[in-house]
Amino acid sequence: MSREIFSFFQKMYWLFFRKCDIIDINEQSIKFLLKMTILIDCVSNNDKEGAVFVAENGKIKSGEKRPPIGSWPLKLRQVPISSPSFNGCELVIAADCAAFAHGSFAEFTRGRTLVIGCTKFDGIDYTEKLTRIFSRNAVGSVHVVRMEAPCCGGLVMTVRRAIELSGKEIPMEVSVISTDGRVNR
């Protein structure tokens, strides 16, 4: 699959994702979001046949395994402070743009609870919310997935501060994704 087609899918997904903050989340929009996620995954893995099948049929080919979304909503500003999905979980806190820069982003999320946010463009200081999440739930570990862009450093600092303020000792790992998709841990 060409870089142009992948870029096109990224832009479509991002446009839809931004609209999620404006429109009501309903079954149809969730199905569309999942379909776009699968399409991007197929394109990023050079699975042209899989991408065409998903686009034409709206579902995954029989026998294929794609990781399910473990919790909803994903946006940190929309996530409830107490949730069964946080108890005993390995929590992945990812920058909004990280999934688009790394073709196999699902490797970070399999079997884990995912929340996403952007400390620069969301216009919210997430320290208090994350502190409350860590304080009220039995989060087992935190994995921050950020971009190499300087603005993503704020996400790491916010998570570290929230863990500290929660009074809990929660192990934290950070992965940095470069603009060309490489992962540095």
Side-chain angles (χ1 to χ4, degrees):
M1 244 333 124
S2 72
R3 184 86 177 135
E4 293 80 27
I5 293 172
F6 181 70
S7 178
F8 167 75
F9 281 117
Q10 284 179 319
K11 288 175 187 171
M12 285 181 61
Y13 186 87
W14 180 246
L15 285 172
F16 176 77
F17 213 36
R18 290 188 63 198
K19 286 183 181 180
C20 283
D21 294 335
I22 300 166
I23 64 171
D24 289 333
I25 302 297
N26 57 36
E27 187 177 343
Q28 182 180 5
S29 62
I30 290 170
K31 284 181 181 177
F32 178 78
L33 178 61
L34 292 172
K35 184 176 176 181
M36 291 305 298
T37 303
I38 294 164
L39 280 171
I40 289 172
D41 190 40
C42 289
V43 171
S44 67
N45 290 312
N46 273 336
D47 182 3
K48 183 177 180 180
E49 181 184 323
V52 170
F53 185 89
V54 171
E56 291 175 352
N57 300 291
K59 59 185 178 183
I60 303 169
K61 282 194 285 186
S62 174
E64 283 193 53
K65 301 276 191 265
R66 301 283 183 205
I69 295 175
S71 60
W72 191 266
L74 298 177
K75 288 291 284 179
L76 186 51
R77 72 170 159 228
Q78 297 171 323
V79 169
I81 292 168
S82 293
S83 170
S85 63
F86 290 140
N87 286 318
C89 77
E90 295 178 45
L91 179 61
V92 175
I93 302 174
D96 285 346
C97 51
F100 301 109
H102 187 53
S104 298
F105 184 76
E107 76 183 47
F108 295 108
T109 63
R110 279 192 182 87
R112 298 176 179 99
T113 298
L114 171 67
V115 295
I116 62 173
C118 177
T119 54
K120 180 176 182 177
F121 292 115
D122 288 350
I124 299 170
D125 181 359
Y126 287 121
T127 306
E128 182 182 339
K129 183 160 192 175
L130 284 170
T131 300
R132 292 170 65 193
I133 288 171
F134 298 144
S135 296
R136 293 183 183 192
N137 301 279
V139 175
S141 65
V142 175
H143 187 165
V144 179
V145 183
R146 61 162 282 195
M147 293 298 298
E148 67 182 347
C151 56
C152 273
L155 183 60
V156 175
M157 290 187 304
T158 298
V159 174
R160 277 198 181 115
R161 181 76 176 133
I163 290 172
E164 179 184 307
L165 290 172
S166 75
K168 294 186 176 181
E169 292 188 26
I170 302 171
M172 182 176 129
E173 177 183 356
V174 178
S175 293
V176 180
I177 300 175
S178 66
T179 54
D180 63 359
R182 288 179 288 116
V183 179
N184 302 307
R185 296 184 196 246

